[in-house]
């Protein structure tokens, strides 16, 4: 497994990370045994960066990871945890709370659920519009000084917020959606991170399965599956987006790789400061995704991929309107 340092002050992590949200939440029914087996397989294949959030399944994901950690050496893994999102018993999102005392409270519960004495990277999941980012980062910095947190990260914030946060304490990475069909960070956010020496952990590299090559118009998303509400998976938008996937599949097949591998490899090829998060919850999907590590894309390959999926060609926003309003990164 190749490794990268996260930013100029962060830990060394595997070139790909494991995003664990889908093992508990957001994508329909889950299989506990398969989720744990997938976690084990990822670690056995050299994945060291494990990403979760305290609100994934309202704590379920942290408890699941806590169970999985018992079978592995804690010191070999880098745990990244997002916090601040509020949910009710039915799973609905209620907003965000990034007040200093709330952050410390959330951290205490995460440590217990995970069964660890520290979290390697701790980050607010979104910008709380009622709390200055300086206050939130300052509270996490206090937890770094106390030994409960090793490093501070950010998630889905814009360039101005990144600069304000970095003025308070070292920021090792920004977690943000980045894929062939979500390239908004390239204008201002990515250059700002590179200027400040902040790494990128890229989630949604397959746009929640949309560009994986495994989604079809006949495949329905129901219940609390995120894709049942995502504009990119609806009506004419889906037709348009699947046409892009067909074009990408043709390029991938000519290269001798799968559609998903081409999409993941494209993200990885954008710089050694970018670590794709693989949201696999099944071992077969994990194996396919990790195969992208072996895919070397030439300038001609990259050009062919970008011609198949042109920048800004995707139809629909990456979240529904109400959720987009919470994204400082989109302002």
């Amino acid at each position: 497994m190749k490794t990268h340092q996260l930013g100029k002050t962060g830990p060394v992590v595997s070139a790909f990370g494991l995003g664990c949200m889908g093992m508990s939440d957001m994508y329909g029914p889950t299989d506990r045994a398969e989720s744990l087996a997938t976690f084990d397989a990822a670690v056995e294949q050299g994945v060291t960066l494990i990403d979760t959030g305290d609100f994934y399944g309202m704590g379920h994901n942290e408890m699941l990871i806590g169970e999985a950690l018992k079978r592995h050496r804690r010191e070999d893994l880098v745990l990244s945890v997002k916090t601040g999102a509020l949910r009710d018993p039915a799973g609905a999102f209620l907003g965000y709370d990034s007040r200093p005392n709330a952050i410390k409270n959330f951290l205490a519960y995460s440590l217990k659920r995970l069964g660890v004495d520290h979290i390697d990277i701790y980050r607010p999941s979104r910008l709380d519009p009622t709390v200055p980012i300086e206050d939130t980062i300052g509270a996490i910095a206090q937890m770094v000084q106390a030994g409960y947190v090793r490093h501070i990260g950010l998630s889905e914030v814009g360039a101005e917020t990144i600069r304000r946060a970095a003025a308070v304490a070292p920021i090792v990475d920004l977690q943000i959606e980045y894929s062939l069909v979500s390239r908004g960070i390239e204008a201002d956010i990515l250059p700002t991170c590179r200027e400040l020496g902040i790494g990128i952990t890229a989630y949604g590299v397959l746009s929640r399965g949309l560009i994986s090559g495994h989604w079809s118009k006949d495949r329905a998303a129901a219940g609390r599956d995120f894709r049942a509400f995502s504009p990119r998976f609806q009506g004419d938008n889906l037709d348009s987006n699947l046409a892009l996937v067909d074009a990408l599949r043709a390029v991938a097949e000519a290269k001798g790789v799968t559609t998903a591998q081409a999409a993941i490899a494209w993200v990885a090829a954008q710089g050694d400061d970018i670590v794709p998060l693989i949201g696999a919850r099944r071992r077969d999907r994990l194996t396919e995704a990790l195969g992208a590590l072996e895919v070397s894309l030439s300038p001609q390959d990259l050009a062919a991929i970008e011609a198949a999926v042109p920048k800004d060609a995707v139809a629909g926003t990456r979240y529904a309107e109400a959720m987009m309003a919470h994204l400082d990164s989109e302002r």
Side-chain angles (χ1 to χ4, degrees):
M1 175 67 70
K2 301 173 184 176
T3 59
H4 299 310
Q5 182 177 9
L6 276 183
K8 63 183 180 183
T9 61
V12 174
V13 300
S14 50
F16 288 4
L18 180 66
C20 298
M21 181 182 74
M23 297 178 180
S24 300
D25 206 1
M26 303 305 287
Y27 297 127
T30 61
D31 183 322
R32 182 180 185 82
E34 183 61 24
S35 294
L36 290 169
T38 301
F39 185 103
D40 292 342
V43 174
E44 290 163 4
Q45 294 181 68
V47 173
T48 62
L49 178 61
I50 308 297
D51 183 79
T52 184
D54 60 18
F55 51 93
Y56 291 169
M58 289 72 79
H60 177 275
N61 202 241
E62 289 183 324
M63 291 187 287
L64 183 74
I65 291 173
E67 179 179 343
L69 287 175
K70 296 176 182 177
R71 301 199 290 268
H72 302 280
R73 284 164 43 95
R74 165 69 179 95
E75 57 269 30
D76 291 341
L77 301 177
V78 176
L79 294 179
S80 168
V81 178
K82 290 180 292 300
T83 191
L86 304 176
R87 302 183 73 177
D88 70 14
F93 283 87
L94 303 176
Y96 300 92
D97 189 350
S98 293
R99 294 172 298 167
N101 282 348
I103 290 291
K104 294 173 185 178
N105 173 75
F106 296 147
L107 173 61
Y109 281 79
S110 287
L111 292 169
K112 290 294 184 181
R113 285 189 290 256
L114 288 163
V116 299
D117 62 3
H118 73 276
I119 289 170
D120 298 287
I121 310 171
Y122 200 55
R123 70 184 81 242
S125 61
R126 297 288 188 270
L127 179 67
D128 183 339
T130 69
V131 180
I133 190 64
E134 291 85 354
D135 293 356
T136 302
I137 299 304
I140 302 176
Q142 291 175 2
M143 296 297 92
V144 172
Q145 293 171 353
Y148 297 117
V149 173
R150 294 289 186 265
H151 304 281
I152 305 173
L154 295 169
S155 176
E156 286 290 356
V157 291
E160 179 184 353
T161 302
I162 294 167
R163 292 186 185 280
R164 289 171 55 191
V168 176
I171 305 296
V172 299
D173 74 318
L174 169 70
Q175 189 172 123
I176 196 164
E177 186 167 356
Y178 186 42
S179 72
L180 272 168
V181 295
S182 297
R183 297 177 61 179
I185 73 169
E186 293 175 349
D188 297 314
I189 293 173
L190 183 55
T192 298
C193 286
R194 286 176 167 163
E195 174 192 338
L196 299 175
I198 296 171
I200 297 288
T201 43
Y203 76 87
V205 293
L206 294 177
S207 194
R208 290 139 177 110
L210 178 63
I211 60 172
S212 66
H214 301 299
W215 197 267
S216 69
K217 188 174 182 180
D218 297 329
R219 182 176 172 184
R224 297 204 61 82
D225 190 322
F226 171 90
R227 293 164 294 201
F229 309 96
S230 171
R232 292 183 175 177
F233 287 82
Q234 309 304 315
D236 292 342
N237 285 351
L238 181 60
D239 291 337
S240 177
N241 293 335
L242 289 179
L244 295 175
V245 177
D246 287 342
L248 177 61
R249 182 182 290 109
V251 175
E253 289 177 350
K255 179 72 175 174
V257 302
T258 70
T259 308
Q261 287 169 343
I264 297 168
W266 180 89
V267 174
Q270 303 310 302
D272 287 344
D273 54 349
I274 298 174
V275 175
L277 295 175
I278 305 302
R281 51 182 178 162
R282 286 169 28 190
R283 283 168 287 181
D284 58 339
R285 294 287 193 254
L286 174 72
T287 298
E288 179 185 20
L290 292 181
L293 285 165
E294 307 303 320
V295 178
S296 178
L297 297 177
S298 68
Q300 293 76 21
D301 293 330
L302 291 169
I305 289 172
E306 291 175 18
V309 187
K311 187 175 182 179
D312 300 326
V314 69
T317 54
R318 53 196 183 100
Y319 288 94
E321 184 178 354
M323 296 296 287
M324 289 292 289
H326 291 288
L327 296 178
D328 182 64
S329 55
E330 293 285 340
R331 295 173 188 163

